[in-house]
Amino acid sequence: MWEIIRTATPEIVWAGLKYTIPIAVISFAIGLVIAAITALVRTSTPRGNQVVKGLWYLGRAVFTFYVWLFRSTPLLVQLFIVFFGLPNLGIQFDAWTAGIITFSLNTGAYASETIRGAISSLPTSQWEAAYSLGMTYHQVLFLVIFPQALRVALPPLSNSFIGLVKDTSLASSITILEMFMVSQQIASHNYQPLLMYSIVAAVYAVFCTILTILQHALEKRMSRYVVAEGE
Amino acid sequence: MIKLTHVDKQYKEHHALADVSVEFPEHQTTVILGPSGAGKSTLLRAINLLERPQQGQMTIGDLTVDFAHPLSNKEVLAVRRKTAMVFQSWNLFPHLTILKNITAGPIHVLKQDPAIAEKRALALLEQVGLAETAHRYPGQLSGGQQQRISICRALAMDPYYILFDEPTSALDPELEAQVLRVLQDLAKRQNSMIVVTHNMEFARRVADQIVFVEDGRVEFAGTSAAFFNRPTERIAAFLDAMKF
Ligand SMILES: Nc1ncnc2c1ncn2[C@@H]1O[C@H](COP(=O)(O)OP(=O)(O)OP(=O)(O)O)[C@@H](O)[C@H]1O
Ligand SMILES: [Mg+2]
């Protein structure tokens, strides 16, 4: 049995490093950008003439629909539609691209709600203080709002990221050779499903534990300006 | 000079500024007085465009904006670069050190060299007796200290006018005195300032001009001496009500 563990584990870990982690990291990064844009469109109010306002409301409706759609349907179904379904409309992606697109959009939909909440939790006086210095909208966002919102959003975003790492196992269903798929294949050869799935579970757990440790370090760093309660 | 002409600001239900025409002379301190809900904050916030009146014009130095039309981004930034605001609850940026709170505007808005901006910030902190706080965070300081730092943040922008909205209302009397001394010092140096306050002692001693606002209207604008001479019955009643 040790022999099986010794040969199978590196194969599974390698699949994790080659597919699981890259898919999760890339999708999460893209998802965060989508989430930030979605959150901003859904929190800000337009200024300007009727045409600008009309376009803005239209854009906002599109983003609202997107968030609703991805939060109300299962991730597995979304993967199937993008990879197996869209080719019927002549839109074809390789498995990697289909996976990244689906995971990014799915993460973006959830994270946008997190970021929206974090931004609205900041007092409007922070916006006003920054604007009163003559900052542009982008300067206010990147110098004042995002750094504070990120601190608030970090724990729920970390949750989403850890969730995403585990959800990448669904990519096996669209032919991506990630960790879970590899463990399945090995199990079908050596007839040791319990052992193989236990190994892959342990590897997921190790990955997620490392992420949790990183999360705590990051939280500590980002909270260094917060005065402890009762101080 | 800042000059407002026929400025009108209507919230959904409330007429906060009604046909306000008033001037704020350069190198002078104007104190805005008036009962709660009179429209003092709205007036001040209209000047740096945190509120947008629907009617009227404002001239600020060489710049005139017409509130009847939506203002362009460029106009808004130009007005804001001529003014700096000190808020009742100071509103420092909690995630930045004191030094960075002060240099953020100069570096990112005025495009100053960071080293120069820092030097200036330290000199300003020195002036208000808070040089040693430069590398701490706002949350570690008292309200009075934070307010003096927010005044440094405003001064670092070299504003044409400094606007103060009840800068001491959230402070204990002892801390209030520290902050008022800083304001008095600025007034002595001929800064152009507009100060909303309920502190009558400050108004009496420091104001060059007093503007009295009630129900969104400017009921009086004139010298401090004229104001405290109780020119109208309403002002006399206000002055009496401020006593106890
Ligand atoms: N955002 C808003 N929406 C609706 N009404 C508002 C808003 N801001 C202020 N008002 C109303 O406008 C009026 C003037 O408000 P403003 O804050 O300018 O008064 P103020 O003179 O500064 O009062 P205080 O001394 O209490 O600070 C008040 O009646 C207030 O309720
Ligand atoms: Mg007020």
Side-chain angles (χ1 to χ4, degrees), chain A residues 47 125-126 128-136 139 143-144 147-148 224-225 227, chain B residues 45 48 52 77 80-81 87 91-95 108-109 111 137 139-140 153 157:
Chain A
R47 270 211 174 104
S125 56
Q126 286 291 305
E128 291 183 347
Y131 274 133
S132 75
L133 290 172
M135 288 186 187
T136 62
Q139 288 174 325
L143 297 170
V144 176
Q148 293 185 68
R224 65 197 184 285
Y225 65 83
V227 180
Chain B
R45 291 160 56 84
N48 80 345
R52 303 294 166 83
L77 292 180
R80 291 204 177 128
R81 277 166 206 192
F87 298 88
N91 304 352
L92 293 178
F93 306 126
H95 62 299
H108 297 284
V109 177
K111 311 291 178 202
Y137 287 95
Q140 302 168 315
R153 176 173 72 176
M157 298 302 290

Side-chain angles (χ1 to χ4, degrees), chain B residues 63-116:
Chain B
L63 214 84
T64 297
V65 292
D66 188 347
F67 292 123
H69 311 288
L71 303 181
S72 70
N73 268 340
K74 229 173 115 188
E75 281 178 304
V76 173
L77 292 180
V79 168
R80 291 204 177 128
R81 277 166 206 192
K82 287 182 181 294
T83 54
M85 184 92 156
V86 173
F87 298 88
Q88 178 171 349
S89 39
W90 37 89
N91 304 352
L92 293 178
F93 306 126
H95 62 299
L96 298 179
T97 61
I98 300 308
L99 194 64
K100 291 218 167 108
N101 262 278
I102 300 175
T103 58
I107 292 174
H108 297 284
V109 177
L110 306 178
K111 311 291 178 202
Q112 272 177 23
D113 180 70
I116 293 174

Side-chain angles (χ1 to χ4, degrees), chain B residues 162-236:
Chain B
I162 317 173
L163 316 174
F164 298 86
D165 192 3
E166 300 197 33
T168 61
S169 294
L171 298 173
D172 295 337
E174 195 188 320
L175 303 178
E176 173 172 26
Q178 289 176 350
V179 171
L180 289 181
R181 257 177 251 130
V182 173
L183 260 71
Q184 185 175 32
D185 201 46
L186 292 175
K188 276 195 191 131
R189 295 182 198 199
Q190 314 252 296
N191 284 285
S192 308
M193 317 201 316
I194 307 176
V195 186
V196 173
T197 181
H198 289 292
N199 190 309
M200 303 307 283
E201 182 65 19
F202 178 83
R204 196 189 293 272
R205 279 172 43 192
V206 180
D208 300 299
Q209 178 185 237
I210 300 238
V211 169
F212 181 70
V213 182
E214 182 155 46
D215 288 334
R217 298 177 186 283
V218 170
E219 298 290 351
F220 172 94
T223 64
S224 169
F227 181 80
F228 285 100
N229 229 351
R230 309 161 76 88
T232 66
E233 239 169 75
R234 177 63 197 108
I235 289 172

Side-chain angles (χ1 to χ4, degrees), chain B residues 11-12 14 16 34-43 51 165-166 198:
Chain B
Y11 292 113
K12 277 200 184 69
H14 195 88
S36 184
K40 307 181 295 293
S41 296
T42 306
L43 178 58
E51 301 291 352
D165 192 3
E166 300 197 33
H198 289 292

Side-chain angles (χ1 to χ4, degrees), chain A residues 110-214:
Chain A
Y110 281 95
S112 76
E113 291 293 277
T114 305
I115 293 177
R116 187 160 76 120
I119 290 178
S120 349
S121 78
L122 302 177
T124 45
S125 56
Q126 286 291 305
W127 289 87
E128 291 183 347
Y131 274 133
S132 75
L133 290 172
M135 288 186 187
T136 62
Y137 178 69
H138 287 99
Q139 288 174 325
V140 178
L141 274 185
F142 284 97
L143 297 170
V144 176
I145 300 304
F146 279 157
Q148 293 185 68
L150 209 56
R151 186 182 75 80
V152 180
L154 188 65
L157 285 181
S158 305
N159 261 345
S160 304
F161 187 45
I162 288 171
L164 176 61
V165 169
K166 293 181 291 183
D167 283 344
T168 55
S169 58
L170 295 174
S172 60
S173 63
I174 58 164
T175 74
I176 294 179
L177 271 173
E178 47 64 64
M179 299 205 290
F180 181 54
M181 175 80 131
V182 169
S183 65
Q184 265 179 309
Q185 286 179 345
I186 303 175
S188 69
H189 288 298
N190 65 11
Y191 305 108
Q192 294 280 0
L194 177 61
L195 191 57
M196 287 308 110
Y197 296 143
S198 299
I199 292 175
V200 79
V203 177
Y204 276 115
V206 169
F207 282 171
C208 292
T209 306
I210 294 173
L211 287 176
T212 307
I213 293 169
L214 285 176

